[in-house]
Amino acid sequence: MGTKSALNWITLWASLLFVVILGFSRLSYGMFLPGIQRAIGGSYGQLGILGTVNFIGYLVGTLCLSPLISRFPDHRHVINRITCLLLGLTLIGSAFSDHFTGLGLWRFIIGLLSAFATVLVLSIAMDSVRPEERGVASGLIWLGGSAGILVTGVFAPFTIDPSHLQGWRYAWMIMGVFGVIAAFGFEFASRSRGVEKIPSQTESKPRGIDSENVYRLLLNPKSLLFLIASYFFFGWGYIIYFTYLIPYLVSQGIPSLYAGLIWSGIGFAGLFNGWIGGKAIDRWPSGYTLASGLTLGTIGVSAVITNNMLFTVLGAAMIGLVSFITPPLMTTALLRRHVPHRAYAACLSIATAFFAAGQIIGPIVGGMVVERYGLLFGVASSAIFMSIAAVLAGLYGHQQRKLGIRDLPISG
């Protein structure tokens, strides 16, 4: 059982790793898309497929991680240190892509490694934190993704401006180097503060928790099904927005500097999202709390329909503030409260697989809408799936209230 406060060196380095795991390795692709298109060619629909390839790797990673953890329950730290180091190195490698196929292979590997790192970094860091502060700790870690978005936006004049054809390559190389440094920092913090210890026999041998029981727990309509389904549709909706927002802004003639500032604005607002969302889910650990953020996010996404740049910018800020980091961190915290400690890593891995499946479908559907109806409607289509996620989160909250599981003690 963790004994540290939410703010400690382990969660700090975990947050810096999430700058890479989420902001750099996955969402930077949408920011760099115009520059990548100029360098290697292809339509936005084709390049959107590479976004899907990234999340196929993410899905494969989440599906492989659960049996891997079950097979080697005492080696989470070893797997994590290798994964985080390789993630930084593959970001550097992807910067040298000259062809569509080569970049697709790098994106697949990056997706696979980021899936491993997401679950392992979260579970290792959360193990060190007191149970009553895990929502705040989750928020602090996930806000690293917002910081990654913010920094990526700062790179905009050098990555999407036509005068800097190779700018996205240099940016990915710098991001990869940062990832290697963050991996070493997290490893040092975990070791020096005694997180990496030999588990007791009851911890190392998860009795009574097998994959069948985990799936039964997650997919039971009376327990966590609506939460998992909400996570799936959130992944579907938000990735469409983040993949095609910058191409839409560029198509409207927005200068690269301003497009980057809008992107950075999402990340900046998300910095507050992580803290506020973590506090909220600690105080109100309910699906209704999650549903409220998703509803506001749906409104923010829908602002693009007005084709008014001011409303689009305000909508982007709203998404960053209430529904970019909030759903993953709240889902993480709710799972941590309502599944047994020994099953948490496996449950989080499977939940992340559903999230990844939504992200695989999103770029394909968004690309089809873009090709047929244009970038405006492609971006706006994300509101449909965000609203479905909000409804499902509300149903989960209703289920919690009806069964009283909100008041169950934390297992472990």
Side-chain angles (χ1 to χ4, degrees):
M1 188 69 70
T3 58
K4 299 181 184 298
S5 66
L7 182 60
N8 63 72
W9 282 108
I10 297 170
T11 55
L12 173 61
W13 280 106
S15 184
L16 291 175
L17 267 175
F18 262 65
V19 172
V20 182
I21 294 168
L22 180 59
F24 290 173
S25 71
R26 283 151 61 190
L27 296 181
S28 67
Y29 181 72
M31 181 74 218
F32 297 165
L33 209 52
I36 292 172
Q37 185 187 45
R38 283 189 288 268
I40 68 176
S43 68
Y44 280 126
Q46 291 172 323
L47 292 172
I49 292 174
L50 292 191
T52 295
V53 169
N54 177 252
F55 291 110
I56 290 174
Y58 192 73
L59 176 60
V60 171
T62 56
L63 293 176
C64 291
L65 183 57
S66 182
L68 188 63
I69 292 174
S70 298
R71 179 69 178 83
F72 303 104
D74 301 340
H75 294 82
R76 284 187 308 157
H77 292 266
V78 176
I79 299 169
N80 182 67
R81 73 174 66 110
I82 294 171
T83 296
C84 292
L85 179 61
L86 288 178
L87 182 59
L89 295 176
T90 51
L91 267 176
I92 296 172
S94 67
F96 295 93
S97 302
D98 289 320
H99 303 286
F100 191 81
T101 304
L103 181 57
L105 180 60
W106 283 115
R107 296 303 296 164
F108 176 85
I109 296 171
I110 288 170
L112 187 147
L113 292 172
S114 65
F116 275 41
T118 298
V119 175
L120 290 171
V121 170
L122 271 172
S123 62
I124 291 170
M126 298 289 268
D127 280 348
S128 70
V129 178
R130 290 190 289 265
E132 65 272 15
E133 295 188 45
R134 282 173 177 158
V136 174
S138 181
L140 291 171
I141 294 169
W142 279 101
L143 69 78
S146 294
I149 295 275
L150 192 158
V151 172
T152 305
V154 173
F155 278 104
F158 307 100
T159 56
I160 64 177
D161 193 286
S163 63
H164 298 92
L165 188 62
Q166 307 301 325
W168 61 275
R169 299 184 190 275
Y170 298 126
W172 261 343
M173 283 189 274
I174 294 170
M175 291 172 176
V177 171
F178 180 87
V180 172
I181 295 171
F184 278 109
F186 184 74
E187 174 68 12
F188 176 76
S190 300
R191 283 194 170 196
S192 64
R193 282 153 182 84
V195 174
E196 185 172 4
K197 61 182 189 301
I198 298 174
S200 67
Q201 188 164 350
T202 55
E203 288 176 319
S204 62
K205 295 181 180 180
R207 295 170 297 172
I209 296 294
D210 53 30
S211 59
E212 181 181 350
N213 288 334
V214 169
Y215 278 105
R216 188 181 298 124
L217 174 65
L218 292 179
L219 302 182
N220 187 340
K222 294 184 178 180
S223 56
L224 296 168
L225 176 61
F226 290 126
L227 178 64
I228 300 304
S230 175
Y231 205 25
F232 168 78
F233 279 103
F234 169 71
W236 185 335
Y238 102 97
I239 200 59
I240 293 177
Y241 185 82
F242 277 89
T243 299
Y244 296 107
L245 175 63
I246 292 299
Y248 165 70
L249 295 175
V250 171
S251 73
Q252 297 299 300
I254 302 298
S256 59
L257 175 61
Y258 296 147
L261 288 174
I262 293 171
W263 187 265
S264 292
I266 297 174
F268 181 74
L271 296 177
F272 299 96
N273 181 333
W275 180 260
I276 295 170
K279 283 282 191 181
I281 202 64
D282 275 340
R283 184 165 184 176
W284 302 290
S286 167
Y288 292 133
T289 309
L290 173 59
S292 62
L294 288 168
T295 300
L296 291 172
T298 301
I299 295 171
V301 168
S302 301
V304 75
I305 299 173
T306 65
N307 205 20
N308 180 289
M309 201 49 55
L310 176 60
F311 289 136
T312 300
V313 171
L314 292 175
M318 182 181 292
I319 290 164
L321 186 61
V322 297
S323 63
F324 162 48
I325 295 299
T326 294
L329 82 85
M330 286 189 176
T331 301
T332 299
L334 288 169
L335 283 174
R336 196 70 180 88
R337 281 178 170 270
H338 298 135
V339 302
H341 173 77
R342 61 187 181 275
Y344 174 65
C347 286
L348 180 59
S349 178
I350 294 169
T352 306
F354 279 91
F355 180 51
Q359 292 176 103
I360 289 170
I361 298 170
I364 297 175
V365 173
M368 292 171 58
V369 176
V370 167
E371 293 290 334
R372 182 156 186 168
Y373 300 107
L375 283 164
L376 172 63
F377 288 102
V379 175
S381 67
S382 61
I384 298 171
F385 309 106
M386 292 277 285
S387 63
I388 294 173
V391 170
L392 289 167
L395 289 173
Y396 173 67
H398 176 71
Q399 196 72 26
Q400 281 182 292
R401 175 172 291 182
K402 186 166 69 172
L403 297 178
I405 66 171
R406 186 179 141 180
D407 297 320
L408 286 177
I410 299 170
S411 302

